[in-house]
Amino acid sequence: MTDRPTQNRPLSPATLAVAGGRPTRDQGAPVNPPVVLSSTYASTGDPAGSLMYARYDTETWHPLEATLAELEGASLSGLVFSSGMGAIDAALRLAEPGTAIVAPRHAYLASLTAAREQAAREQSVVREVDIADTEAVVAALAPAEGPAGSLLWIESPTNPLLEVADIPALAAAAHRVGAVCVVDNTFATPLLQRPLAQGADVVVHSVTKHLAGHSDLVMGAAVTSDGDLRARLHARRTVGGAIPGPFETWLALRGLRTLALRVERAQHNALELARRLADHPSVAEVVHPGLSSHPQHARAAELMDGFGSILTLRPSGGVGHADAVTRAVRLWLPATSLGGVESSMERRRRLGAEAVSVPEDLLRLSVGIEDVEDLWADLDHALRAWPT
Ligand SMILES: *Cc1c(COP(=O)(O)O)cnc(C)c1O
């Protein structure tokens, strides 16, 4: 689809986010792909190879799907879904009935819920593991008793505790027992982590977060280089119907263009704030993969191209203090979700379904692209305003 300068080195993800999915440079061609509003296409006889009905396939998805595949280093076009959970639901169905799904105990909540519901339907089990503990994950894939794993679900860094998995080692262990390895790459983005190159079979995204980046749409994606797995994901999308609309798809690609600028700025801000918070008198603990105090700091430095823009902190005054911070901030947005240009924070345990091993007073911060001194001033003030 895109004309590329002849060169013998691959384009970096930062460039692909800008250059991917552009219309062919015919005389008078637009720089951006069009939004096509059509539910059906003229078609008779065998429709193979052509567009037919917009739930099966529609051209407005193609530029985004091609760009996401390029970013993740996949040989096949990606698949966009109506939400991250739409993509995750399709990917979870790659597990075989009557087997085990091995998943991080601190994965995204709805992913765990979907895995548990599917396992209950299919006489399977979900084995929840510490995804940073490679030996424990390997043991859970092929236990002495109980069904072997047919699907290894990885999130790294995890939500919200930011545990970092050894993806190459875990993907290899999954393949040794014939399991499919799926990585939710939402937190890292393909700019900082490319799981397919590290051995994973499928990457899923909540495009809602960093990829689209402006908190103005909900969308998901799945990317793989395996033709059989892609066909199964595509079949599930078609039958489940979790397809995004053309306007949202166009807007997501629009947001994706600035991915590199946003991610670089946001993670720079996050590391600076994490360092300052580590010395703050009102902070008991701060966790960020970029701090040398993080248990998997060395692993993250080796496997990732950056540490991301999510951090967690525990105010020294406990739950009351944490809630007070979310009420006292004026610039930071107290809200769920993450990965937008605006900085936001949430006390995760306010949600009843959050894992009890997540500390009650833990605040998850999604650092945006504002001026770091403004973010610091607001946060410092909110932390000190306790007890009042
Ligand atoms: C938000 C999120 C999801 C779910 O995506 P939606 O777009 O909200 O459906 C899945 N995984 C992670 C890590 C997320 O942050």
Side-chain angles (χ1 to χ4, degrees), residues 82-86 88 108 110-111 155 157 159 184-187 205-209 218-220 337-338 364:
S82 56
S83 64
M85 285 316 301
I88 286 166
Y108 185 73
S111 304
E155 217 179 271
N159 176 51
D184 182 336
N185 204 23
T186 300
F187 269 41
H205 277 285
S206 172
V207 175
T208 314
K209 314 294 168 52
V218 174
M219 194 181 300
S337 197
L338 54 98
R364 184 187 68 193

Side-chain angles (χ1 to χ4, degrees), residues 13-40:
T15 305
L16 290 170
V18 178
R22 299 285 186 187
T24 312
R25 297 178 180 188
D26 301 325
Q27 184 75 2
V31 65
N32 292 307
V35 177
V36 176
L37 300 171
S38 193
S39 62
T40 192

Side-chain angles (χ1 to χ4, degrees), residues 1-4 19-25 33-34 59 62-64 66-67:
M1 179 154 233
T2 306
D3 302 329
R4 286 295 153 65
R22 299 285 186 187
T24 312
R25 297 178 180 188
E59 62 266 67
H62 297 169
L64 178 59
T67 307

Side-chain angles (χ1 to χ4, degrees), residues 39-259:
S39 62
T40 192
Y41 298 84
S43 167
T44 60
D46 182 358
S50 64
L51 293 172
M52 185 190 173
Y53 185 59
R55 176 160 45 77
Y56 308 161
D57 194 17
T58 180
E59 62 266 67
T60 305
W61 295 338
H62 297 169
L64 178 59
E65 292 183 326
T67 307
L68 292 175
E70 286 195 293
L71 283 171
E72 290 289 357
S75 59
L76 303 172
S77 178
L79 293 162
V80 286
F81 287 79
S82 56
S83 64
M85 285 316 301
I88 286 166
D89 175 73
L92 281 170
R93 285 165 197 259
L94 299 173
E96 300 299 333
T99 63
I101 298 171
V102 176
R105 62 180 177 200
H106 298 128
Y108 185 73
L109 269 180
S111 304
L112 282 176
T113 304
R116 290 175 192 138
E117 287 180 3
Q118 177 179 317
R121 274 197 313 273
E122 299 187 339
Q123 281 77 50
S124 294
V125 294
V126 180
R127 234 170 252 135
E128 292 173 29
V129 292
D130 174 357
I131 205 71
D133 183 346
T134 303
E135 276 180 35
V137 182
V138 171
L141 281 166
E145 276 180 49
S150 68
L151 184 74
L152 171 60
W153 193 267
I154 298 177
E155 217 179 271
S156 185
T158 60
N159 176 51
L161 295 189
L162 304 173
E163 298 137 322
V164 177
D166 186 345
I167 295 175
L170 296 184
H175 293 155
R176 281 200 295 279
V177 299
V180 173
C181 175
V182 180
V183 176
D184 182 336
N185 204 23
T186 300
F187 269 41
T189 82
L191 217 64
L192 307 182
Q193 176 166 275
R194 283 166 301 282
L196 297 182
Q198 299 181 340
D201 302 296
V202 178
V203 168
V204 293
H205 277 285
S206 172
V207 175
T208 314
K209 314 294 168 52
H210 298 97
L211 296 183
H214 295 74
S215 307
D216 51 7
L217 60 90
V218 174
M219 194 181 300
V223 180
T224 179
S225 295
D226 182 309
D228 174 55
L229 295 178
R230 186 182 185 282
R232 290 168 66 186
L233 294 163
H234 182 250
R236 181 60 206 159
R237 182 180 70 178
T238 300
V239 170
I243 57 157
F247 289 120
E248 285 74 13
T249 308
W250 189 92
L251 202 53
L253 183 60
R254 165 80 131 84
L256 186 67
R257 297 301 187 202
T258 54
L259 180 70

